[in-house]
Amino acid sequence: MMNILGNGAIGNLLALQCHKLHLDYCILARSQAPTELLCRAIEQTPQSHHSQPSFSTATALHPVYHQETDSIDDGLFILPLKAYQIIPAIEQYKAKLSPEVPVALLHNGMVDQQHILQLLPSNPIIVATTSYGGFKPQPNKLNITGIGATQAGWLRNSVDNPYFQSIFEKLLPPCTWHSDISLILWRKLAVNAVINPLTAIYNIPNGALAQPQYHNTIMAINAEICTLMNRLEMPVTEQQLLSNCMSIIDKTAANYSSMHQDVLHNRKTEIENINGYVVSQGKILSIPTPINSHLLEQVRKIETYSGKK
Ligand SMILES: NC(=O)c1ccc[n+]([C@@H]2O[C@H](COP(=O)([O-])OP(=O)(O)OC[C@H]3O[C@@H](n4cnc5c(N)ncnc54)[C@H](OP(=O)(O)O)[C@@H]3O)[C@@H](O)[C@H]2O)c1
């Protein structure tokens, strides 16, 4: 049984794939979820289609719980959540997770990995990031906006988990496994730390960042992150980060970033886990991060989110 936490966009993509692969799955939603899920592929995908996977809800928790111990005792437990939701969700569910249940974290931005390892002292843990795209116009609808790729690694891999690894890599394929997932997460952080705050602050699509007036700011953000990465012994150059970032700006030129959308729709952003994480690492390593700090403050100011969780 695949246990997917939350009725969100990436969670629904995972549910759809479980449905296609004939894997048992359960979406653990916060509240009563719809009885069916309508998925529609739009934009970059050649064949648009409608699909109606079976849809489990929080009220259908029982199949994933061990009858006597009231614990989740088999399958992967996947958390495709906003970065700031990961720790509270683990705190909420950890008592129900048997120590051998593999937990998979799928998010943008950075989460305190030491805290996760403490909260789950023995579970195997996968950390992954994906470039698939989706958004939910309604609770029972998923629009698939991009077929991407996934990069994954084990934060903790007890003994051997080829079975769960082979299942996980089929969920948002193609999936590449990395022995050092930190480097991948930092490289993605470098891109997110540029695209997300700048598109949100200036209310522009990703592609507008290719205009010359943003060039110095992008270089400065990358330079701060490169210094941190080098101090953490990650082999990367400013030029590599810059060219990776400009290539993603080019490939996603027509898209609006998730932070742009979050600000537009008064939702909490992931800024604390993106530029906020860069600033916090700068403090720990005594490396100045004035540009990231400035962006953090600017996004905090425009974030009108009233704070519900
Ligand atoms: N969507 C994309 O295209 C995309 C692409 C690449 C990467 N990502 C990244 O993937 C992560 C997930 O993104 P997303 O777009 O799927 O987010 P999302 O649509 O907001 O999904 C998260 C879902 O989980 C629910 N949730 C949070 N905590 C929960 C809990 N403790 N119990 C039950 N449900 C809980 C949320 O409910 P509430 O709404 O009530 O909070 C929400 O429905 C983010 O880090 C994002 O940046 C997204």
Side-chain angles (χ1 to χ4, degrees):
M1 170 74 76
M2 299 294 113
N3 303 293
I4 302 165
L5 192 55
N7 183 28
I10 298 295
N12 282 185
L13 275 167
L14 294 165
L16 175 63
Q17 187 69 355
C18 286
H19 174 76
K20 286 180 179 168
L21 294 169
H22 306 291
L23 292 169
D24 286 339
Y25 69 93
C26 178
I27 294 175
L28 308 178
R30 267 195 216 279
S31 53
Q32 183 63 39
T35 51
E36 65 173 9
L37 175 64
L38 307 176
C39 298
R40 192 163 68 99
I42 58 174
E43 293 178 3
Q44 297 139 10
T45 43
Q47 311 113 351
S48 290
H49 65 273
H50 283 75
S51 170
Q52 293 181 299
S54 60
F55 193 84
S56 302
T57 72
T59 54
L61 275 174
H62 307 289
V64 299
Y65 280 77
H66 190 283
Q67 294 281 323
E68 284 155 26
T69 61
D70 190 32
S71 63
I72 294 173
D73 65 352
D74 67 349
L76 271 167
F77 186 71
I78 311 175
L79 290 82
L81 307 180
K82 294 285 174 61
Y84 56 83
Q85 295 172 326
I86 297 273
I87 300 269
I90 293 176
E91 281 169 341
Q92 181 186 347
Y93 278 91
K94 68 178 172 141
K96 305 222 176 242
L97 289 172
S98 309
E100 70 277 7
V101 170
V103 175
L105 313 176
L106 202 46
H107 59 85
N108 270 339
M110 298 295 236
V111 180
D112 182 350
Q113 295 188 339
Q114 290 311 315
H115 195 175
I116 290 168
L117 289 166
Q118 279 166 12
L119 288 171
L120 299 171
S122 43
N123 296 76
I125 302 169
I126 294 170
V127 183
T129 176
T130 189
S131 58
Y132 272 70
F135 80 95
K136 293 183 57 90
Q138 292 170 26
N140 70 332
K141 288 193 175 148
L142 168 70
N143 287 349
I144 304 167
T145 52
I147 303 299
T150 304
Q151 311 210 61
W154 290 94
L155 187 57
R156 182 193 294 121
N157 187 3
S158 48
V159 203
D160 196 7
N161 280 293
Y163 171 69
F164 289 115
Q165 185 159 322
S166 74
I167 288 183
F168 185 79
E169 66 194 26
K170 292 188 183 85
L171 295 179
L172 295 173
C175 178
T176 309
W177 289 90
H178 299 270
S179 54
D180 182 6
I181 191 65
S182 288
L183 177 60
I184 304 301
L185 295 179
W186 269 91
R187 282 170 58 97
K188 182 133 187 197
L189 179 73
V191 175
N192 283 326
V194 167
I195 296 180
N196 275 296
L198 294 179
T199 54
I201 292 163
Y202 295 107
N203 190 16
I204 50 175
N206 295 0
L209 293 174
Q211 292 167 16
Q213 70 260 38
Y214 299 109
H215 191 68
N216 287 347
T217 308
I218 293 173
M219 286 214 309
I221 300 167
N222 269 326
E224 289 180 6
I225 295 175
C226 188
T227 307
L228 287 172
M229 291 178 74
N230 290 162
R231 179 70 67 84
L232 294 167
E233 299 184 354
M234 295 183 201
V236 73
T237 64
E238 284 180 33
Q239 190 49 46
Q240 285 168 341
L241 290 184
L242 184 65
S243 81
N244 186 37
C245 184
M246 296 318 291
S247 146
I248 289 171
I249 286 171
D250 183 49
K251 283 183 196 148
T252 62
N255 295 3
Y256 284 92
S257 75
S258 58
M259 196 170 289
H260 175 278
Q261 291 298 293
D262 286 339
V263 167
L264 192 69
H265 298 290
N266 289 346
R267 294 189 298 248
K268 184 173 164 69
T269 73
E270 292 179 287
I271 191 72
E272 302 294 336
N273 301 81
I274 299 177
N275 303 80
Y277 185 82
V278 173
V279 172
S280 69
Q281 290 299 299
K283 283 183 185 148
I284 291 168
L285 298 170
S286 300
I287 291 174
T289 54
I291 303 288
N292 279 280
S293 198
H294 180 61
L295 293 171
L296 173 62
E297 289 309 321
Q298 280 185 292
V299 174
R300 280 179 179 163
K301 275 188 194 143
I302 58 171
E303 197 175 31
T304 52
Y305 174 74
S306 56
K308 64 173 172 156
K309 34 195 180 282

